[in-house]
Amino acid sequence: MTWNESEDESGLNPWGEKKNKLQVLKKINQKIKNIFYNSKRFFIFLKKKIIHYKNNIKWCKYIKNKIIIFLVGILLLIFFTGFYIVKETEQGVLSSFGKFHSLVKPGLHWRPILLYNVKLIDTKVIREKILTYLALTSDNKLCNITINVQYRIVNPNSYLLSISNPENNLHQIIDGVLHKVIGSEKNNAILEYDHAKIINKIQKEIERKVKLCDLGITIFNINFLNLSVPDSVIDSFIDISLAKQNRQEYIDIAKKYSDEIIWLAHVKYDDIINQARLYKEYKISTIKGNIIHLLKIFYNYKISKINNIVSVNDNNVQHVNILDIIRHN
């Protein structure tokens, strides 16, 4: 083995100590470089953080300003949208979370839009509802009915808050009342006779149920727009109408003939009465004439008899009462 092949090279190599120092110096130098490099990186990182923080502050201020502007805009929007106008013909119903608060008169008003809700109702306008039904009468006949119901809202509170859907409830009330009233009348009474009685009955029943349900409306007028039979039975109905018309014509002809016969009978009756009266007067006058003639003959007979008595007793000076002689004889 040579002198420099020992396992412990540091003890046998004359340059070993110097080499170790150089290595130590290199390591120290490397560590210093690493420290400076890391310090530089740290300061660069710190600088970036500072710049980023400054940018974040500016961004936060920008966001904050935007949020403030947005909130102010929202508040202004809420404030200005709280104003509302109630017209002269309207009434406003102010409610809070679905509960009635107060009635609002015409004019300019304001309310907190998030706490109160207002609904405007025109209480002067006449509303109408036109409905068409196929109804069954009391004599089991069908008829088409188109009805026009005119009404006006008089209590906005009841109309809007008492019932969820007042229009639908009114429709159901009209439907039930119409079928009830029409079902109690005969087909001829509905199609041919005066409708005022039926309309009056329908209106009273609707008003009673509307008041019972507290809809807040009053019925203004009711009219029938159409009253007719269904198309499926129109031909039969026309035949029945023609038969009724012909029946009436025959009745009129018979009545006319009856009137003529009665008039002729009255004329003949008057003639017979007049003839009988004349015949009676003739007979009476004839009998009276005969009686007078007989009386003349009778008196002539009595006078001649008296004359004979007087002539026989002409020597008698006593006074003779002619009437007593007639009575005696």
Side-chain angles (χ1 to χ4, degrees), residues 63-220:
I63 295 298
K64 181 180 179 181
N65 293 333
K66 290 295 183 181
I67 292 173
I68 292 173
I69 293 172
F70 176 76
L71 293 176
V72 171
I74 293 295
L75 291 175
L76 291 176
L77 180 64
I78 292 173
F79 176 76
F80 285 109
T81 52
F83 288 97
Y84 62 96
I85 297 176
V86 181
K87 296 180 181 179
E88 189 66 27
T89 60
E90 295 178 337
Q91 283 189 354
V93 178
L94 194 64
S95 60
S96 177
F97 301 104
K99 293 184 178 180
F100 174 74
H101 182 268
S102 63
L103 288 176
V104 183
K105 296 181 179 180
L108 179 64
H109 303 275
W110 181 86
R111 91 284 187 191
I113 193 171
L114 298 178
L115 299 178
Y116 293 95
N117 184 29
V118 64
K119 292 182 179 180
L120 304 180
I121 294 294
D122 195 332
T123 58
K124 302 298 182 182
V125 67
I126 302 298
R127 307 165 189 265
E128 64 177 7
K129 186 178 286 294
I130 299 176
L131 304 172
T132 302
Y133 297 96
L134 182 63
L136 185 67
T137 61
S138 61
D139 50 357
N140 295 325
K141 294 181 180 179
L142 294 174
C143 62
N144 288 323
I145 298 176
T146 301
I147 188 171
N148 179 22
V149 180
Q150 297 178 348
Y151 63 96
R152 185 168 61 88
I153 299 173
V154 294
N155 190 345
N157 177 25
S158 299
Y159 182 79
L160 292 174
L161 300 179
S162 295
I163 298 176
S164 60
N165 193 346
E167 292 291 332
N168 185 40
N169 288 339
L170 179 60
H171 180 91
Q172 293 178 359
I173 288 173
I174 296 172
D175 182 49
V177 170
L178 192 64
H179 281 89
K180 177 182 177 181
V181 175
I182 297 300
S184 64
E185 299 289 341
K186 292 186 177 181
N187 189 57
N188 293 336
I190 296 171
L191 298 178
E192 299 177 5
Y193 300 151
D194 187 15
H195 303 146
K197 181 180 178 181
I198 298 175
I199 290 176
N200 187 35
K201 187 184 295 186
I202 291 173
Q203 183 168 349
K204 286 184 178 179
E205 188 67 18
I206 291 176
E207 288 177 349
R208 186 184 69 83
K209 291 197 173 183
V210 164
K211 185 176 180 181
L212 184 64
C213 295
D214 194 20
L215 292 184
I217 65 176
T218 181
I219 303 300
F220 185 74

Side-chain angles (χ1 to χ4, degrees), residues 50-68:
I50 293 171
I51 294 172
H52 180 71
Y53 178 73
K54 290 182 179 180
N55 292 333
N56 286 339
I57 291 175
K58 292 180 180 180
W59 176 253
C60 290
K61 289 183 178 179
Y62 175 77
I63 295 298
K64 181 180 179 181
N65 293 333
K66 290 295 183 181
I67 292 173
I68 292 173

